Structures are given as structure tokens and as C-alpha cells.
């Protein structure tokens, strides 16, 4: 299917809500953690597939601020899996010229997870290919709240005037300030919602929902989503006649 893609209309930035690990495990009569462990292949395939078709940024919603309220044993297992996965994938990232970034409340992560994440982002910082962004301990409302606090402090300190608080100024205080907004959001597992993810950035993003559970997601599913995206007319508030050449 990759040959069917219009190379001129590849989304620069794709974001993915990786959903369905628990249900996948339950269908197999296993613990939820089994689903998380088997999701690594889907992550690898998505990264490889995005790089192969020319996507520049791939953001993966790995752990939300709300996920901290899950059972303690599941959270612990997820954090251990995060550390192992990051450590194991660094050689592949270096080999494939992939840069790793993160967004979210990284300070809330366990010490070992933070260390491995900082090590990986440092080692890959000079890579110039696909940028993979991990959203960890992240939520859209948390990010906007954090941005508002930063802006208010600058106003109080006379570093910023109220009339200078534009949409561009707000965007510059978000975690994603140096990352373009996603053109395409993919959510797996059949759920049709955005779950507090990139609330500011998704204003004009095309949404794609698939029934595929995340551990079963492969390169061909990514291509299917991009093909669907390429059939859409992106108008940004204009009429169809206005955007036609």
C-alpha cells in the first residue's frame, strides 16, 4: 500500500493514542501488563513505518497524568517497561538517525526512568531524521495550566505585557513549542475520543479512529491512516473553492 501514498501529502507530524493493551491481554486471558509488553512491537513498527514514508515527527501518548491512578502494580510494571524499552531502543535510534524528545511532567517519573530518558534524549540530540516524541505523565489540561502559570509569572515580573498574550505567545509556552502541530491523530482500539491529549495542538488535526488494538498495530495500519488522511480536504475555516488552485 505504501506505493499508493502521495509523497507530496505526507503529514509532517502524526500523533498516536496507543489504546487497547489491556483489552488485548484480557482477550488472551492474561494480565494487563502482558498487553503493555506486547505493545513494543507496535511502537517499533510505527516508528519504522513513519520514517520510511517521510513523516518528520511522531508523538506517542505513552502515559497520561490520569494513568497514575491505575493499580500500583500496573504503574510499577509500566515504569520498569519504559526504562527497559528506552535503553533497548537507543542503538536502533542511533542507527536510524532518530531523535528522541519527551513532553509532560517528566519530574514526576521515577528516578531511574528519568535518568534513562535524559540519557536517550542526550545521545540522540544530534540526529536529523524522524523525531519521536514520548508523551509521559502528560495531559493537555496540565500542559495548558503549566503554560498559563509561566505566562502569569512573566506578566507579574514585567517581562510580558497583557496585550502581548497572543495565540503565538501561548503556543510558545507549551511543551511542544518547537514542534509543529499534528496534521493527523490516530487512536487505536475503537474508542472515539482524544482523552486529554494535545488539546491546544489538535485544533485543526484530522482524526482517524481504528478498531485495531494497539499491540496488533503494524506499518500497514499506519499507511491506511495516511491514505485516509490524503483523501480529506483541509480547509482551515475556508471554503473548498478558496483552497482549490
Amino acid at each position: 500500500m505504501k506505493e499508493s501514498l502521495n509523497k507530496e501529502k505526507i503529514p509532517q507530524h502524526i500523533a498516536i493514542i496507543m489504546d487497547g493493551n489491556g483489552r488485548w491481554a484480557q482477550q488472551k486471558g492474561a494480565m494487563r501488563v502482558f498487553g503493555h509488553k506486547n505493545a513494543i512491537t507496535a511502537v517499533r513498527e510505527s516508528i519504522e513505518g513513519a520514517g520510511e514514508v517521510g513523516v518528520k515527527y511522531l508523538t506517542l501518548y505513552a502515559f497520561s497524568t490520569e494513568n497514575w491512578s491505575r493499580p500500583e502494580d500496573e504503574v510499577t510494571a509500566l515504569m520498569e517497561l519504559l526504562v527497559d524499552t528506552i535503553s533497548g531502543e537507543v542503538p536502533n535510534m542511533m542507527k536510524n538517525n532518530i531523535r528522541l524528545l519527551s513532553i509532560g511532567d517528566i519530574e514526576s517519573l521515577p528516578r531511574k526512568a528519568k535518568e534513562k530518558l535524559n540519557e536517550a534524549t542526550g545521545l540522540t540530540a544530534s540526529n536529523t531524521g524522524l523525531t519521536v516524541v514520548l508523551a509521559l505523565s502528560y495531559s493537555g489540561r496540565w500542559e495548558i495550566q503549566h503554560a498559563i502559570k509561566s505566562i502569569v509569572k512573566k506578566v507579574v515580573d514585567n517581562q510580558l505585557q497583557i496585550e502581548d498574550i497572543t495565540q503565538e505567545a501561548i503556543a510558545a509556552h507549551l511543551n511542544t513549542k518547537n514542534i509543529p502541530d499534528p496534521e493527523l491523530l490516530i487512536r487505536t482500539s475503537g474508542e472515539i475520543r482524544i482523552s486529554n491529549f494535545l488539546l491546544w495542538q489538535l485544533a485543526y488535526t484530522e482524526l482517524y479512529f481504528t478498531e485495531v488494538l494497539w499491540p496488533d498495530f503494524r506499518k500497514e495500519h499506519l499507511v491506511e491512516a495516511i491514505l485516509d488522511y490524503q483523501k480529506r480536504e483541509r480547509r482551515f475555516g475556508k471554503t473548498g473553492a478558496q483552497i482549490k488552485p
Side-chain angles (χ1 to χ4, degrees), residues 92-157:
N92 282 334
M93 290 181 186
M94 297 304 296
K95 177 183 175 182
N96 295 301
N97 196 28
I98 294 170
R99 181 174 62 145
L100 180 68
L101 296 177
S102 63
I103 58 174
D105 186 11
I106 304 304
E107 288 304 310
S108 67
L109 298 177
R111 178 185 58 80
K112 194 172 182 180
K114 279 192 294 186
E115 288 176 354
K116 290 298 181 182
L117 183 61
N118 290 333
E119 181 182 346
T121 53
L123 287 170
T124 63
S126 298
N127 292 345
T128 57
L130 173 69
T131 295
V132 175
V133 184
L134 289 181
L136 294 164
S137 191
Y138 172 90
S139 75
R141 288 183 175 180
W142 169 87
E143 181 184 32
I144 293 169
Q145 177 191 32
H146 187 267
I148 290 171
K149 286 181 177 179
S150 297
I151 290 170
V152 169
K153 186 177 187 308
K154 286 186 177 180
V155 171
V156 171
D157 293 342

Side-chain angles (χ1 to χ4, degrees), residues 8-15 54-59 179-186 198 201-208 225-226 228-230 232 234 236:
E8 303 300 317
K9 294 181 66 177
I10 299 295
Q12 182 181 17
H13 183 179
I14 296 177
V55 174
K56 300 300 183 185
Y57 294 85
L58 179 69
T59 297
I179 301 169
D181 291 344
E183 289 98 335
L184 173 63
L185 170 73
I186 300 170
L198 298 174
Q201 298 86 341
L202 294 180
Y204 282 101
T205 301
E206 300 296 327
L207 309 181
Y208 179 86
I226 296 174
D228 184 85
Y229 163 86
Q230 292 185 343
R232 305 187 190 185
R234 290 171 56 74
F236 302 98

Side-chain angles (χ1 to χ4, degrees), residues 143-233:
E143 181 184 32
I144 293 169
Q145 177 191 32
H146 187 267
I148 290 171
K149 286 181 177 179
S150 297
I151 290 170
V152 169
K153 186 177 187 308
K154 286 186 177 180
V155 171
V156 171
D157 293 342
N158 292 318
Q159 297 176 358
L160 189 70
Q161 300 301 310
I162 291 178
E163 55 269 23
D164 294 328
I165 304 176
T166 61
Q167 292 186 28
E168 291 75 19
I170 294 171
H173 287 81
L174 298 175
N175 284 195
T176 56
K177 59 185 177 183
N178 296 316
I179 301 169
D181 291 344
E183 289 98 335
L184 173 63
L185 170 73
I186 300 170
R187 181 174 186 145
T188 59
S189 87
E191 300 292 348
I192 306 175
R193 56 178 176 268
I194 59 175
S195 295
N196 204 359
F197 185 43
L198 298 174
L199 296 180
W200 179 277
Q201 298 86 341
L202 294 180
Y204 282 101
T205 301
E206 300 296 327
L207 309 181
Y208 179 86
F209 301 99
T210 174
E211 296 287 335
V212 177
L213 299 176
W214 179 245
D216 291 327
F217 195 84
R218 296 293 180 267
K219 292 179 186 179
E220 57 265 30
H221 300 117
L222 180 71
V223 173
E224 285 176 3
I226 296 174
L227 283 169
D228 184 85
Y229 163 86
Q230 292 185 343
K231 295 174 185 175
R232 305 187 190 185
E233 187 177 68

